[in-house]
Every structure is written in structure tokens, then in C-alpha cells.
Amino acid sequence: MKKISKFMLAAVASVALAAPAFAWDFSASGSASAAFNITTTKADKDTDAVGSGGVSSDVGAITLSSTNADGANTSTLSYAVDWADSGLDETLSISGSRKVGDWTGSAGASYNLDRPGCYATDNGSSTSNTPAACPAQQSGIDTTALTLTDGTMTIVLGDASHLSSQNVGSGSNAGGAVGFSGDDDAIGARVGGYNGVSLGYAVSDTMSVAVAYQASGDVADACGSGDAVQDGETLYHGIGGTGFSFNGTFGTIGVGATICNAATESKVSTLSTSTATSTMGVGVSMDFGDIDPWISFGTYSSIGTVSKAGVAYVGTDIGLTYALGSDTVVFSSTSSTEISTASGGTAGEAQAKSGMELGYSTAVGPMGLAIGYGSTTKDQKGGVEGYSYSDIEVEMSISF
């Protein structure tokens, strides 16, 4: 593994040294940050609040890249090293675009050269410290997407984020915002990357539409992010879905909307289990000079056709950014409601969540400085009642 990594590093360096002859531009980049934060968490209405925090630091990926441009044709080769939860994460990637006539095609390839630990607790195979064989660094061929466009019509085929969630908000460096699915998904349409095909069309300079189709022979996330299994579907099921999006700018107002529906599909006629999902997102952004407000709205539902088990979400994200010269102030208010047949509380009782973030960012010489405050509350009858969380964080960062 070390020999492969050294070879890749040498290959990128060789391209850099030969840059004048082959017109390849070389660059190296990295980043670092350090923060001090204070958090207070109250698990429920019957427990005392617990404080925590302190000073922490982090470094971003070390990236070596080289780019070649030959008229309208470009190629980019990169090698990145970062630390992930399971060990050292190494990624070798190449991407490029080619133009013939009015059409431009682009694609990319990426492979992980990770080094997960060789103990069971490192690679996730067991909870004990029993030595285990190192797992394969690359579990299979990486997926990709091919894009073909003439500037008006765009076709994307493969694994890509074919639709936008329409979340147009932003937050501070502190934690506090809530969303869908354990707050992992920002409020908007619950969509993500999936294997499918999409067709985008620029109606005018300010308006565009897109239609997308998801097709997989295996059960995958509905529309790229949704809970695809409510009836226990695994073997003998695939998934299919369709989606539509619109984006337009009307003066100083930007409007976007996305709808996506997907369902698991049985490959065996005797199996009737399936899950149907539906999601919608609307985003409105406004440009009023120094003040830029936004509103994001989203819904999501997933239900098993046999078990009738399921979950439904609805949420809003409202806020604004305010420019103070080169500095920025951001305020956001998020809220979501979840109803689930198996929510951990009383079945059918809604879990209400709300979050708030306030942040200020500036620069001190070459350093970025961000100060943020965030808070979260959650409440559900028979479940988490009276949960509260607050976070104050001061962060410095630099990119080089």
C-alpha cells in the first residue's frame, strides 16, 4: 500500500516537474482550524443540564493537483490525503471535459486508497480488540456520472445529484440548526445522489427545468436520500422514481421547487411488500443589497404498502445574511415536525424540533475568524420531552 501511495505521489510530482513541457499547472493546498466552544445539553425535562466544551483543532485534506487545458478541453488529476474515522483516507481522482462542436462532455473517476486499522474495532467488524485481517481498501468499482451539454440542454447519466433540495439557507460555525432524519438532511426536498438519468433545459437566461428518473436493480435511498425500506424489503427488490425541478430568477428574487416520488419494486410477483416515498422542496432567496433573506420549505413521507409503517416530516428554514463591508452576519431559524409509527415515543405523536443560529465572520489578517451561537429544542409526548442544547463557538481558520 505504501508503495502504491508513493507511486501516486511521484506521478503527480512528475507531472508538476514536466509542467512547462506539457502545459500542466500544479498546485498544492491544505487548511487548518482551531476552535473554543462551550455547550450545554439537557437530555430531557427530568434531568439536569450538562456542560462541556474546550479547545479543539482540525486539519483539512492535503491535496496535490495538476490541471491541463488545451483550448476547450481540460483534465485535472489530484491526490488527496485526509483523516477519516476509520483511518487514513487517500483518494486519487481524475476528471475532464471535451468539446466537439456545440457539445461538451465531462466525467470523472475516483479511487480510495484508504488504510483502515487492522483490529476489529478499527474496521468495524467487531466490538472486541481481537486482531482481524485488514479489509480491502477499495470494495468495488467507483460509480460516476457522464454529463453532456450544449449550454441549453444538459443530459446527466449515472450516479449524480440529479435534483436540488432547494435549501437556500446558510448557518453559523456553531451547532443549532435542525432538519430531517436526525438533522442530517437540511430542510427542503429530501434528495441526494443516485443512479439515474436527468434532462435539464434552459428555458431562458433566468429559468431552467429538469426531469429525472431513478432506476436501480437493488434497494437504494429513495430519490438519493429517503428511507426506502418500511416493509423490510431487501432481496428481490429494486427501486424506481421520478422527479422534477424548476429554478428561476425574477429580478432580485430567486425561486426553486423540486418534487420527487420513488417506490421499491418487487422482482417476484408473489412479493407484495414495497415502500412509497414522496418529497417536495421550495426555496426562495432575495438579494436586497447588503441584506439577503431566504426561506426554505420541505416535506417528506415514506410508508410501507403492507405494514403501513412510515414516517412524515415537514419543516421550514428562515433567515438572512447581512454584509458589514467584508464581514458577514448570519441568522437562521429552523423548525421541523416528525410523525412516525416507530418514533421512540408514543406512536403517532409528533416530535417538534426548533433551532436557531447567529453568527459573525470576519478576517484578521490572513486568518478567518468566526463567532457563533446556536440552540436546539426537541419535544415529543412519551419520547424526548424538554430536550435543549446550546453552543457557543469561536473558530479561527486558514487555508494555504
Side-chain angles (χ1 to χ4, degrees):
M1 194 67 239
K2 290 183 178 179
K3 290 182 178 179
I4 295 176
S5 300
K6 289 180 179 178
F7 173 77
M8 298 306 176
L9 187 61
V12 175
S14 298
V15 172
L17 294 173
F22 297 100
W24 283 81
D25 295 325
F26 174 77
S27 67
S29 63
S31 64
S33 64
F36 172 75
N37 80 313
I38 302 173
T39 64
T40 303
T41 304
K42 185 177 175 63
D44 58 60
K45 61 182 178 60
D46 297 322
T47 62
D48 294 330
V50 178
S52 62
V55 175
S56 61
S57 60
D58 188 28
V59 293
I62 300 172
T63 303
L64 304 177
S65 63
S66 190
T67 301
N68 172 264
D70 180 13
N73 302 325
T74 63
S75 299
T76 299
L77 174 68
S78 68
Y79 172 78
V81 183
D82 201 357
W83 180 260
D85 293 337
S86 59
L88 193 63
D89 186 3
E90 298 177 88
T91 305
L92 180 68
S93 304
I94 188 168
S95 61
S97 65
R98 297 292 183 268
K99 186 174 183 179
V100 176
D102 294 332
W103 292 93
T104 300
S106 59
S110 178
Y111 286 98
N112 293 327
L113 310 174
D114 298 350
R115 301 184 194 178
C118 293
Y119 284 84
T121 51
D122 295 328
N123 58 45
S125 61
S126 173
T127 57
S128 68
N129 256 339
T130 304
C134 288
Q137 282 77 12
Q138 183 74 26
S139 59
I141 298 175
D142 276 5
T143 57
T144 190
L146 280 71
T147 301
L148 180 65
T149 181
D150 66 351
T152 299
M153 184 168 62
T154 301
I155 302 169
V156 181
L157 179 64
D159 191 356
S161 296
H162 296 273
L163 298 167
S164 170
S165 73
Q166 305 298 350
N167 181 279
V168 292
S170 60
S172 72
N173 60 306
V178 300
F180 298 154
S181 184
D183 303 329
D184 294 330
D185 294 310
I187 291 170
R190 197 172 170 191
V191 296
Y194 61 84
N195 274 303
V197 59
S198 59
L199 173 65
Y201 187 80
V203 179
S204 67
D205 292 339
T206 59
M207 289 189 293
S208 64
V209 295
V211 292
Y213 174 62
Q214 180 180 13
S216 175
D218 300 311
V219 173
D221 291 337
C223 297
S225 180
D227 305 307
V229 177
Q230 297 291 353
D231 273 354
E233 308 97 305
T234 51
L235 197 62
Y236 307 124
H237 282 81
I239 191 168
T242 56
F244 171 83
S245 70
F246 167 84
N247 287 90
T249 302
F250 306 91
T252 59
I253 309 296
V255 178
T258 294
I259 298 173
C260 189
N261 300 308
T264 55
E265 302 169 338
S266 174
K267 304 174 187 177
V268 181
S269 60
T270 56
L271 291 178
S272 59
T273 54
S274 65
T275 297
T277 71
S278 178
T279 187
M280 178 189 71
V282 177
V284 180
S285 58
M286 293 153 271
D287 184 358
F288 298 152
D290 292 338
I291 301 178
D292 298 331
W294 75 77
I295 301 173
S296 297
F297 172 79
T299 65
Y300 170 80
S301 65
S302 174
I303 186 168
T305 56
V306 174
S307 67
K308 302 303 179 184
V311 62
Y313 304 98
V314 61
T316 58
D317 181 350
I318 302 173
L320 60 85
T321 58
Y322 180 53
L324 297 171
S326 59
D327 301 343
T328 302
V329 175
V330 61
F331 169 79
S332 72
S333 175
T334 52
S335 64
S336 71
T337 301
E338 172 190 348
I339 297 179
S340 174
T341 57
S343 58
T346 303
E349 291 290 341
Q351 182 185 75
K353 302 185 292 184
S354 63
M356 186 274 289
E357 290 187 13
L358 177 65
Y360 172 75
S361 59
T362 185
V364 180
M367 289 283 185
L369 175 64
I371 303 171
Y373 169 78
S375 64
T376 304
T377 62
K378 300 179 182 180
D379 194 70
Q380 181 188 34
K381 182 180 179 180
V384 177
E385 296 185 58
Y387 172 93
S388 64
Y389 167 86
S390 65
D391 180 28
I392 300 174
E393 182 167 312
V394 180
E395 179 183 26
M396 294 184 68
S397 62
I398 187 171
S399 297
F400 42 85

